[in-house]
Amino acid sequence: MADTLPTLLLVDDEEHSLAAMRMALEDEFDILTALNAHEARRLMEEHFVQVVFCDQRMPGTTGVEFLTEVRESWPDTVRIIITGYTESSDMITAINEAGIYQLLTKPWHPDHLMMVAKNAADLFALAREHDRMSLEMRYLSRTVEVKLEEQRKALREGLGFDTVLRASNSPMNAVVEQARQFATFDVPVILTGEPGTGKRLLARAMHYSSLRSDKPYFEFDCSSVDDDILEVELFGARRGAVPGLAAHKMGLFQKADRSTLYLSGVADLSPRLQLLLLRAARDGAFRPLGGHEILHSQVRLLIGSDRELRTELERGKFNSELYYALCKVSLTIPPLRERPDDLAILAHTFLFEAADRHGKPVSGLSDDAIQFLAGYDWPGNMRELENEMVRMLIFSQDAILGPELISRHILQASPLPESETAVDQVLVSSGTLKDRVELIEMRILRETLTRLKWNKSRAANELGLSRVGLRAKIERYGLIEPKRHNASSKEEE
């Protein structure tokens, strides 16, 4: 008999909201919908519901009141509240008392909604499986129960591949699938990608999907670390081997025995450190600084590198034996500029995380803001995107963040029609001086108008143009004013 899909109950007094949620989730779940708490209560009695999404603001019974009833009658059902408002401390207290699994803010992104639903269904299944196994193992030792709880905690904290945010058609999907396969094989893996592409996140997910997931995960960045310090950190030291060291120091290779150690920056290691790492990687053998005995460790190494180690090998900068000891299999993580469909969900995730961290609630990014962000190359990858979201949050005044908050260099890198030359190449490209100057002029106009929310008076004044001259240039270059999200942001005449 084929496995049935998990059942979700969606409760909202607005039919269009129910339709939108159903459309986003129906491919992966059996969907039930209700327009009020009374109808939802009847559906709960008639169906085996694993997860409930409920809007807070509804006539009669509120979302928190209904989910409190669900907690009392169906305690295993995972409860999620949806709200489009900034909640008071009293509201947060009520949510906690109702045992709400997660608070989802409007407007939600379809990929984010799907991820929350999948995590909630996984939690329900995990809780059921945990209950079943607890009955079977009630006579087993306490050690087994502790290990089971640790695995459950790891999944709930999101340490697996679900933390790698991506769209359904993302190039990261193929990378994650490869990583899943590599995770269960106890071999070293090299992860190559530009800085900020998420190598550490992927390495951690591989550990928590491996047979070593019950052990602690360790990581260390070897970049720009002095050889003596690095040797002590990796392999340890005996008392007195280092000035001021009054006791033996355990190195990472000893701490991570039978676990996973993620090392980044190995391309910068000196020849001597490369030889020490070779012995540890190939034979599992190392000697603490100042010690005479050889220690052994069964460490699984995951290696992160911003540069291709094969290229460093060909240049004579990397030990060939070490390279082949480490490179059993490899993964290449694409930069953010090659993941355009992932940008919206990543930007919203970073924005909401920053909003939660700094206590400044927002509802999301406008479509125009996403369009401008998608036109930038992001040389700093996700770190740069995360920083930009924090910057936009700081300057934001409205719940929806518009393109006028985006940094000027990103606005100036906005996408051009395919028939036009990329602006970044104008100064070194061919073409007449007139054409190249006009291309730069259009770029400046678009950035200035966007930053000033299309206030033509201010833009004309800043650019030293008359209103008539500015309007002529706007028409000449075909620049179109985006739709405003707030009446107060209309152009001031």
Side-chain angles (χ1 to χ4, degrees):
M1 181 178 177
D3 293 338
T4 58
L5 295 175
T7 300
L8 266 62
L9 172 59
L10 311 176
V11 188
D12 198 310
D13 61 312
E14 296 180 1
E15 293 187 359
H16 67 88
S17 295
L18 287 178
M21 286 193 289
R22 174 187 282 277
M23 184 176 299
L25 299 171
E26 62 185 358
D27 289 342
E28 299 288 340
F29 301 92
D30 282 334
I31 304 297
L32 301 172
T33 60
L35 290 169
N36 52 60
H38 176 74
E39 185 178 354
R41 202 175 295 113
R42 179 182 59 80
L43 291 172
M44 288 292 298
E45 293 171 349
E46 296 175 355
H47 299 272
F48 180 56
V49 177
Q50 286 94 322
V51 182
V52 177
F53 284 78
C54 185
D55 186 40
Q56 164 59 10
R57 300 292 180 93
M58 298 189 301
T61 305
T62 67
V64 168
E65 291 170 348
F66 171 66
L67 292 181
T68 301
E69 296 179 21
V70 172
R71 184 184 192 183
E72 293 172 357
S73 301
W74 300 277
D76 292 341
T77 301
V78 181
R79 301 165 295 279
I80 298 169
I81 196 82
I82 303 176
T83 179
Y85 301 86
T86 302
E87 305 300 345
S88 65
S89 58
D90 291 340
M91 174 66 180
I92 298 300
T93 301
I95 288 175
N96 291 334
E97 292 175 354
I100 303 299
Y101 167 65
Q102 190 162 346
L103 186 149
L104 190 65
T105 57
K106 294 180 180 180
W108 41 261
H109 190 281
D111 288 339
H112 186 221
L113 182 71
M114 177 63 78
M115 181 169 293
V116 171
K118 286 184 175 181
N119 286 342
D122 287 344
L123 179 61
F124 180 91
L126 184 65
R128 281 301 179 99
E129 181 67 9
H130 176 262
D131 292 343
R132 184 188 66 81
M133 293 183 68
S134 295
L135 289 174
E136 293 178 356
M137 299 189 302
R138 65 171 60 185
Y139 300 112
L140 295 182
S141 68
R142 176 63 180 166
T143 303
V144 175
E145 295 178 5
V146 169
K147 181 177 179 180
L148 181 64
E149 181 58 30
E150 288 175 348
Q151 291 175 339
R152 182 185 183 191
K153 181 181 178 182
L155 178 60
R156 292 188 63 176
E157 291 178 347
L159 299 176
F161 288 107
D162 286 342
T163 61
V164 184
L165 297 177
R166 59 201 187 277
S168 59
N169 57 343
S170 169
M172 277 300 295
N173 291 332
V175 177
V176 169
E177 285 308 307
Q178 279 190 305
R180 286 185 194 276
Q181 291 181 296
F182 296 159
T184 54
F185 287 83
D186 207 8
V187 296
V189 182
I190 293 180
L191 296 88
T192 305
E194 296 177 7
T197 50
K199 298 185 290 295
R200 289 174 54 225
L201 190 66
L202 197 61
R204 188 181 67 178
M206 291 178 67
H207 168 74
Y208 283 102
S209 299
S210 73
L211 299 177
R212 299 172 180 241
S213 61
D214 59 327
K215 303 291 184 182
Y217 168 74
F218 298 88
E219 60 182 41
F220 190 78
D221 185 1
C222 302
S223 303
S224 304
V225 180
D226 183 78
D227 271 16
D228 293 338
I229 297 176
L230 188 55
E231 183 176 356
V232 172
E233 290 294 332
L234 293 180
F235 307 116
R238 291 295 178 240
R239 183 177 59 237
V242 178
L245 187 64
H248 295 328
K249 178 178 175 60
M250 186 182 296
L252 285 169
F253 270 83
Q254 193 170 357
K255 292 179 182 178
D257 184 25
R258 302 180 185 276
S259 187
T260 304
L261 173 59
Y262 173 70
L263 293 178
S264 58
V266 296
D268 298 322
L269 292 179
S270 67
R272 175 175 171 273
L273 261 297
Q274 289 186 35
L275 288 174
L276 293 178
L277 183 58
L278 167 63
R279 188 178 188 189
R282 183 182 59 196
D283 306 324
F286 63 95
R287 180 181 307 187
L289 186 65
H292 300 289
E293 76 281 18
I294 300 296
L295 303 182
H296 290 82
S297 176
Q298 297 181 25
V299 173
R300 184 193 187 180
L301 286 174
L302 301 179
I303 304 298
S305 179
D306 300 339
R307 307 197 298 269
E308 285 285 352
L309 293 183
R310 178 177 289 277
T311 302
E312 298 300 303
L313 170 65
E314 294 169 351
R315 295 174 55 208
K317 301 292 185 180
F318 201 75
N319 186 291
S320 61
E321 290 188 71
L322 176 58
Y323 175 78
Y324 291 112
L326 297 175
C327 192
K328 302 298 183 185
V329 290
S330 63
L331 285 169
T332 300
I333 293 85
L336 188 54
R337 63 180 173 274
E338 295 178 9
R339 303 169 54 186
D341 293 328
D342 296 348
L343 190 132
I345 186 172
L346 287 169
H348 276 100
T349 299
F350 291 146
L351 176 62
F352 292 141
E353 287 177 351
D356 181 65
R357 188 164 57 249
H358 297 285
K360 186 177 181 179
V362 293
S363 297
L365 298 159
S366 71
D367 292 342
D368 297 319
I370 290 294
Q371 184 177 357
F372 274 98
L373 294 173
Y376 181 58
D377 275 350
W378 300 103
N381 292 294
M382 287 189 284
R383 294 174 189 166
E384 185 180 7
L385 177 60
E386 184 175 11
N387 290 345
E388 183 65 20
M389 292 302 101
V390 173
R391 180 189 175 279
M392 292 178 67
L393 177 71
I394 291 172
F395 290 107
S396 65
Q397 298 296 324
D398 302 316
I400 299 293
L401 279 62
E404 68 278 355
L405 298 171
I406 299 174
S407 297
R408 295 184 67 174
H409 69 283
I410 298 177
L411 288 177
Q412 292 173 356
S414 58
L416 299 173
E418 294 181 2
S419 60
E420 298 177 6
T421 306
V423 177
D424 290 337
Q425 303 298 321
V426 170
L427 296 179
V428 295
S429 67
S430 59
T432 66
L433 177 61
K434 178 177 178 294
D435 290 341
R436 294 160 71 184
V437 168
E438 286 182 347
L439 197 56
I440 293 176
E441 184 178 60
M442 180 184 66
R443 179 179 185 172
I444 294 172
L445 280 172
R446 181 167 44 200
E447 181 271 323
T448 304
L449 287 165
T450 301
R451 177 167 44 84
L452 298 178
K453 299 184 179 180
W454 278 75
N455 185 313
K456 297 187 182 69
S457 296
R458 293 179 60 193
N461 183 63
E462 180 175 314
L463 296 172
L465 298 171
S466 67
R467 286 292 302 270
V468 174
L470 178 63
R471 184 177 294 109
K473 289 183 181 294
I474 291 173
E475 293 175 355
R476 177 178 181 181
Y477 294 124
L479 301 180
I480 300 174
E481 180 179 0
K483 295 179 180 179
R484 300 260 67 88
H485 293 276
N486 192 318
S488 64
S489 65
K490 290 180 64 178
E491 176 193 353
E492 300 173 6
E493 297 295 337

